[in-house]
C-alpha cells in the first residue's frame, strides 16, 4: 500500500515524539463541535499515532461557548468507545466542562497535552474569545498542561481535513520538542485548500459588525439571529493571523491566559482614584 | 436629610463628570446575574447620577458564561422599565448577547461606556476567563467602548453594596478622566466589609482544584456538580488582585483583549515546524 506525503511525515513525526518522551504521552482531546464531528475524529486519528488518547467531548454542538462553565446544572458523562490506547466519552457540558470533568474523574493521571478541535471554521483574530475550541485549550493551559486549539477555515460538516492533519502533526511535534511557557497555549488556524507554509502570528485587531438580524416569527413577535460579518481593522498587515490565512499560511498565535495588560498596568500606577 | 460620605462623594463625582464630558454620557449596563439582581439595580442607581442609562441584562442568571454567544438559537428582548434618562430591557441570551443585541438594535448611538455588574461574587484571578460579567466588559471593549466589570466579593443575593457603590463611582470617574487604551478594559473587584483603599493589580496566577463533585441520582446514575476550591499559586504576593482583596483593597486589573503573548511570539520565531 502506498503512503501519501502526509502519512510518511506522520510516521517520521511519531518516531521523533517517541524518542523525545520517556513514555507514550497521554493526549486529552476535546472540541466544541461535539462528539460526532468529523474534525474531532480526524484529530483523534492523528493523535493516536503519537500517544494514548482520551476524548471527552460535548454530546451536543457547543460553538461560541467560549470558556463557559456549567455553574447551575449537573453534568453527565458516558463512555462511547474504547480500544487499546483510546477511550472516548461524551459529556453533557461545555468544552471547558469536558476538560474539568475529564481531568477530575475520567483520567488516572494529568494528561501531557490538551488538543482541541479540529474546529469546523476559523477561530482567528478576536474569535479566540468566543471560541469553545480555544476555551478548552485555555482550560488545559490553566491546569499547567501544554495545550493547542486547531481550527480549519471551513465550516462545512464534511470539510476535507486531509491537508490539515499533517500540519496538526507538525505543530504538535514542535510543541513536544520546544515546550510552551506556563499560561500560554496556541491558537492554530489552518486555511482551506492549498497550504503555503506556517507563520507565527499575533491576533488580528477587528470586530464583528451588524451582528444580529431582526426577524418576525409566525406570531408577529420579533426575534434576533446572530449573523453579521467581520471587519478587519488592519487588513494586509503582515504578522497578523488573518493575513497569514489570507495568504494560505497556517497561523499560530501564542495566547496568554494572563490577560493583564502590562503596559496599562504601569501607566495606571499614576492614576488618582 | 443628612448625606453619608458616599452620597456626598457621588454628588462631587457627578459634577466632575458633567464638566468633563460635552453631553450627558450614554452608559450601557449589563451583568451576568440577571435583570432581577440587586447588584444590577445598585449599579444602575450609581450610573444614573452620571448619565443616561440603558440596561440590557439577561432574563435568567448567566454566571460562568464567559464570552459565550448564542450561535444556534434566536434571541428575544423586551422592555421592562422606562423613565426619563433610563430604560431597561431583559434579553434571553448571554451577557455578550446582551451587548451585541443592545448595540445593534436597542440604542440609537454607540454608548460612551459599558459597565457590567455589580457581580454577586468575586471575579479575581483566572475567574476573569469564566466570568459573564467580564465577558460583557470585554465585548464592550471589542466595540471600542471604554468598559469596566465590577464585582463584589459576596455571593449573597442580598449582599450589601452600600460601600461598593462609592468605589464604583470613583473608578468610573477615573476612567472618564483618564480614558482607557484601545482593547483594554478593567476588571474591578471590591472586598466585602471595610475597604482600605484601591490598588492597580495584575491577575493572580492560580487554578481551581477538585472541581467536580461526583454524586448519584435517585435512579443510581452518576452526575457531577461544579464545586472545588481555588489554589493561589502566589499567595501573599503584593501587586496581585487576590493580595489586594485579602487586605481589603479594591483591585483594578487592566485586561487586554489582545491575548497574544508577545514574549512567546518573539521566542517562537526561531521554531522550525
Amino acid at each position: 500500500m502506498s503512503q501519501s506525503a502526509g502519512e510518511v511525515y506522520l510516521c517520521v513525526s511519531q518516531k521523533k515524539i517517541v524518542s523525545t518522551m520517556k513514555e507514550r504521552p497521554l493526549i486529552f482531546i476535546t472540541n466544541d463541535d461535539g462528539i460526532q464531528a468529523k474534525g474531532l475524529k480526524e484529530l483523534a486519528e492523528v493523535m493516536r499515532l503519537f500517544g494514548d488518547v482520551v476524548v471527552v467531548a460535548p454530546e451536543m454542538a457547543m460553538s461560541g461557548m467560549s470558556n463557559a462553565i456549567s455553574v447551575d446544572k449537573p453534568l453527565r458523562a458516558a463512555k462511547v468507545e474504547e480500544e487499546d490506547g483510546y477511550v472516548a466519552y461524551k459529556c453533557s457540558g461545555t468544552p471547558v466542562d469536558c476538560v474539568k470533568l475529564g481531568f477530575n474523574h475520567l483520567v488516572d493521571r494529568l494528561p501531557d497535552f490538551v488538543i482541541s478541535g479540529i474546529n469546523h471554521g476559523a477561530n482567528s483574530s478576536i474569535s479566540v474569545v468566543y471560541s469553545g475550541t480555544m476555551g478548552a485549550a485555555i482550560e488545559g493551559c490553566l491546569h499547567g498542561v501544554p495545550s493547542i486549539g486547531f481550527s480549519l477555515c471551513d465550516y462545512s460538516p464534511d470539510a476535507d481535513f486531509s491537508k490539515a492533519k499533517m500540519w496538526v502533526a507538525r505543530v504538535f511535534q514542535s510543541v513536544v520538542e520546544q515546550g510552551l511557557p506556563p499560561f500560554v497555549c496556541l491558537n492554530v488556524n489552518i486555511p482551506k485548500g492549498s497550504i503555503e507554509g506556517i507563520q507565527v502570528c499575533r491576533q488580528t485587531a477587528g470586530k464583528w459588525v451588524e451582528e444580529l438580524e431582526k426577524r418576525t416569527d409566525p406570531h408577529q413577535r420579533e426575534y434576533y439571529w446572530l449573523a453579521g460579518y467581520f471587519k478587519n481593522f488592519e487588513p494586509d498587515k503582515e504578522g497578523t493571523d488573518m493575513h497569514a490565512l489570507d495568504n494560505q499560511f497556517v497561523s499560530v498565535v501564542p495566547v496568554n491566559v494572563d490577560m493583564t495588560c502590562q503596559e496599562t498596568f504601569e501607566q495606571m500606577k499614576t492614576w488618582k482614584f
Side-chain angles (χ1 to χ4, degrees), chain A residues 37-165:
Chain A
K38 186 181 177 193
L40 180 76
K41 293 176 207 258
E42 301 267 8
L43 178 61
E45 199 180 299
V46 178
M47 287 301 135
R48 287 181 74 179
L49 298 172
F50 297 119
D52 292 340
V53 166
V54 177
V55 174
V56 185
E59 62 189 6
M60 310 266 286
M62 287 277 171
S63 291
M65 284 308 280
S66 184
N67 303 79
I69 48 176
S70 297
V71 176
D72 296 322
K73 60 183 176 194
L75 297 174
R76 305 268 184 181
K79 194 182 285 182
V80 292
E81 212 180 339
E82 188 164 20
E83 289 175 18
D84 189 36
Y86 176 77
V87 58
Y89 300 84
K90 63 178 182 179
C91 166
S92 61
T94 66
V96 169
D97 289 334
C98 290
V99 177
K100 288 186 186 293
L101 181 55
F103 276 36
N104 279 273
H105 293 284
L106 304 177
V107 295
D108 52 13
R109 67 178 179 94
L110 189 70
D112 298 296
F113 303 95
V114 170
I115 314 293
S116 183
I118 303 170
N119 193 60
H120 293 245
N123 278 315
S124 52
S125 181
I126 57 160
S127 296
V128 67
V129 306
Y130 306 118
S131 160
T133 305
M134 284 310 299
I138 287 168
E139 183 64 22
C141 182
L142 285 169
H143 283 269
V145 177
S147 301
I148 314 170
F150 288 102
S151 304
L152 177 69
C153 300
D154 186 345
Y155 287 94
S156 165
D158 60 351
D160 176 7
F161 289 92
S162 57
K163 289 193 189 76
K165 283 160 80 178

Side-chain angles (χ1 to χ4, degrees), chain A residues 158-272:
Chain A
D158 60 351
D160 176 7
F161 289 92
S162 57
K163 289 193 189 76
K165 283 160 80 178
M166 189 183 77
W167 289 95
V168 167
R170 288 174 76 156
V171 172
F172 175 72
Q173 178 184 306
S174 295
V175 168
V176 171
E177 287 169 0
Q178 306 280 346
L180 284 173
F183 305 111
V184 176
C185 58
L186 299 185
N187 182 16
V188 180
N189 283 269
I190 302 167
K192 185 180 174 178
S194 66
I195 299 176
E196 295 294 321
I198 189 163
Q199 287 178 7
V200 178
C201 304
R202 64 175 178 78
Q203 181 183 320
T204 308
K207 70 168 186 172
W208 291 90
V209 289
E210 294 173 22
E211 295 171 287
L212 283 139
E213 204 176 296
K214 192 174 180 175
R215 296 188 172 193
T216 305
D217 73 13
H219 312 289
Q220 306 312 312
R221 293 176 305 195
E222 288 164 353
Y223 66 100
Y224 304 86
W225 272 119
L226 197 67
Y229 60 93
F230 183 78
K231 188 171 178 184
N232 189 335
F233 290 161
E234 43 186 0
D236 310 321
K237 181 81 174 178
E238 283 190 26
T240 64
D241 56 357
M242 294 195 76
H243 182 268
L245 293 165
D246 287 345
N247 290 278
Q248 298 300 128
F249 282 83
V250 175
S251 67
V252 182
V253 177
V255 170
N256 199 341
V257 300
D258 178 355
M259 297 182 77
T260 312
C261 180
Q262 280 301 330
E263 204 181 324
T264 311
F265 173 71
E266 295 302 328
Q267 288 163 359
M268 284 186 71
K269 285 182 176 172
T270 62
W271 282 29
K272 300 212 185 317

